[in-house]
Amino acid sequence: MDFTPSEEQAAAQGLAARIFGDLSTHDRLVAAGSGTDAGLWKEICAAGLPGAAEETGLLGLVLLAEEQGRTTAQVPFVASCVYGLLAVAEHGTDEQRERLLPSFRDGTEVAAGAFPAGGTVHAEVDTGPEADRGLHAEADRVPDADGGLHAQAGRGPEADGCLHAEADRGPAAEAGRGPAAEEGGRLSGVVPLVPWLRDATHVLVAAADRSLWFVRTAGPGVVTESVETTAPWSAGRLVLDGAPGERLGGSGAYEAVLAGARTAFAGVQAGVCAGSLARAVEHTGTREQFGRPLSTNQAVLLRAADAYMDTEAIRVTAYEAAWRHDEGLPYVEQALTSAWWASEAGRRVVHAGQHLHGGTGADLDHPVHRHFLWGRQLDAHLGGSGTVLQELGELLVKEGPE
């Protein structure tokens, strides 16, 4: 394995570091509140960073995601790249790529993701020439985009956690266009929390049967409602009532997109942790107690060293998963491993970063508190370490010894 960035990846990361570092300032973050910094998003898209993420692969996106996390930049960059650019590039048809990718590249359209974490599937299939295939998926729990915050499923179209997809299959579909063809469908249900939904023009929705559907937020049967979360991620509640959807990908697309999202958001967490630790190092190196810097205290040194090792563990596991993806190797297991480290160790690091600031860390307006909020939100967004570890264990048992 060689995680050394290519020349293109290193150049893109350097550009991202400069733009995020120069523009994602504390004052601008405060001004943005729980919304997106529209000026920063415009600069990112003008610099071609979304397109760079597409060209440099998942490892390139992880490198860029680190820079967003390092500055807690209020833009839907990683979400739109994962659920829009990369999802369409890897699983869309030629027609979908030609139609959707240009607007995702230039940022005029933004994607968010809503992924149910499991459930039972009820499918009614009519194979006649005018067939409508009904896929009624009742999710036992509906998380945010990567398996976090859970809600019990209801039975009706307005019940939280219940997604129903009815695919329209006409004669063209029956003529052998295959599972990746642009099938139309109708989706009903509620997803209580979708990060970056308030910025999104498209939402990639996964029904509980693990089929993927693009839904336009401005389309009929779609209602979005603002939701406040731990981190200010422009989140919203998605209500679908017979909303028209467009099928994306076929068998295996759900698992691939979810694994890619977990890897990318682990990269964000690596950046969040690195940013938190950098602030803690600066604070303890300049703040004095009894005539010497706090950083000379052994307890402070050990706490910072543990946080550093945790941050590196998050980073290297995300790199491994992304590298395997780009090399065409199986990477679902590695994506789960990176998600576990990001959830479990990420929580420890942002707590340590805040604690190492002493009383200053308790100030809700201090920049380090934003890293704390992002770290906790990413923990939930990735599903929580216990849930992710259980999924990883079940996968290992299913696959058996090599």
Side-chain angles (χ1 to χ4, degrees), residues 227-313:
V227 172
E228 296 299 322
T229 58
T230 300
W233 282 3
S234 299
R237 182 173 182 261
L238 179 67
V239 181
L240 305 174
D241 186 7
E246 176 183 355
R247 181 75 178 266
L248 181 73
S251 176
Y254 169 92
E255 290 79 8
V257 172
L258 181 56
R262 283 168 163 159
T263 304
F265 281 104
V268 176
Q269 185 75 298
V272 169
C273 292
S276 176
L277 185 57
R279 292 188 182 278
V281 169
E282 180 182 6
H283 175 80
T284 57
T286 56
R287 183 69 177 267
E288 292 190 355
Q289 187 179 56
F290 305 120
R292 62 179 187 173
L294 288 171
S295 59
T296 61
N297 186 300
Q298 187 178 37
V300 172
L301 287 171
L302 292 175
R303 190 77 186 276
D306 286 342
Y308 174 78
M309 289 188 291
D310 274 339
T311 301
E312 288 302 298

Side-chain angles (χ1 to χ4, degrees), residues 63-392:
L63 294 171
L64 300 180
E66 279 191 73
E67 301 307 324
Q68 178 178 4
R70 196 184 307 272
T71 57
T72 61
Q74 284 296 106
V75 288
F77 175 69
V78 173
S80 192
C81 287
V82 167
Y83 300 116
L85 269 175
L86 296 189
V88 174
E90 294 182 8
H91 304 288
T93 63
D94 290 340
E95 190 279 332
Q96 286 174 320
R97 295 188 188 101
E98 182 179 356
R99 172 167 47 89
L100 296 172
L101 287 180
S103 56
F104 286 139
R105 290 189 191 112
D106 64 22
T108 54
E109 294 190 337
V110 174
F115 274 52
T120 57
V121 177
H122 305 282
E124 297 176 2
V125 181
D126 182 357
T127 58
E130 300 297 329
D132 287 340
R133 185 174 67 182
L135 300 178
H136 303 282
E138 298 185 1
D140 294 329
R141 50 184 181 166
V142 172
D144 59 25
D146 278 316
L149 312 178
H150 307 134
Q152 292 298 319
R155 294 296 179 182
E158 295 300 320
D160 283 358
C162 186
L163 292 178
H164 304 275
E166 296 184 356
D168 298 327
R169 294 288 299 274
E174 295 299 330
R177 295 174 64 189
E182 303 98 274
E183 299 175 6
R186 298 283 176 177
L187 282 75
S188 296
V190 175
V191 184
L193 178 62
V194 179
W196 309 111
L197 178 63
R198 283 147 51 194
D199 298 319
T201 57
H202 294 75
V203 184
L204 186 60
V205 180
D209 71 322
R210 300 191 172 189
S211 57
L212 297 181
W213 302 84
F214 263 130
V215 175
R216 293 193 64 90
T217 56
V222 180
V223 176
T224 62
E225 303 166 354
S226 178
V227 172
E228 296 299 322
T229 58
T230 300
W233 282 3
S234 299
R237 182 173 182 261
L238 179 67
V239 181
L240 305 174
D241 186 7
E246 176 183 355
R247 181 75 178 266
L248 181 73
S251 176
Y254 169 92
E255 290 79 8
V257 172
L258 181 56
R262 283 168 163 159
T263 304
F265 281 104
V268 176
Q269 185 75 298
V272 169
C273 292
S276 176
L277 185 57
R279 292 188 182 278
V281 169
E282 180 182 6
H283 175 80
T284 57
T286 56
R287 183 69 177 267
E288 292 190 355
Q289 187 179 56
F290 305 120
R292 62 179 187 173
L294 288 171
S295 59
T296 61
N297 186 300
Q298 187 178 37
V300 172
L301 287 171
L302 292 175
R303 190 77 186 276
D306 286 342
Y308 174 78
M309 289 188 291
D310 274 339
T311 301
E312 288 302 298
I314 299 169
R315 178 181 286 116
V316 74
T317 52
Y319 284 6
E320 181 185 8
W323 176 85
R324 290 181 65 89
H325 166 275
D326 293 345
E327 292 295 316
L329 301 171
Y331 71 105
V332 172
E333 177 184 323
Q334 286 73 22
L336 280 166
T337 301
S338 69
W340 180 83
W341 274 105
S343 182
E344 176 74 13
R347 185 175 63 250
R348 288 197 299 264
V349 173
V350 296
H351 275 266
Q354 192 171 34
H355 290 165
L356 288 173
H357 279 75
T360 305
D363 183 358
L364 302 184
D365 295 324
H366 194 280
V368 77
H369 189 68
R370 187 176 296 271
H371 290 270
F372 172 78
L373 296 178
W374 273 64
R376 291 307 304 262
Q377 186 67 51
L378 282 163
D379 172 26
H381 184 63
L382 290 165
S385 58
T387 300
V388 173
L389 187 61
Q390 179 180 348
E391 185 176 346
L392 177 58

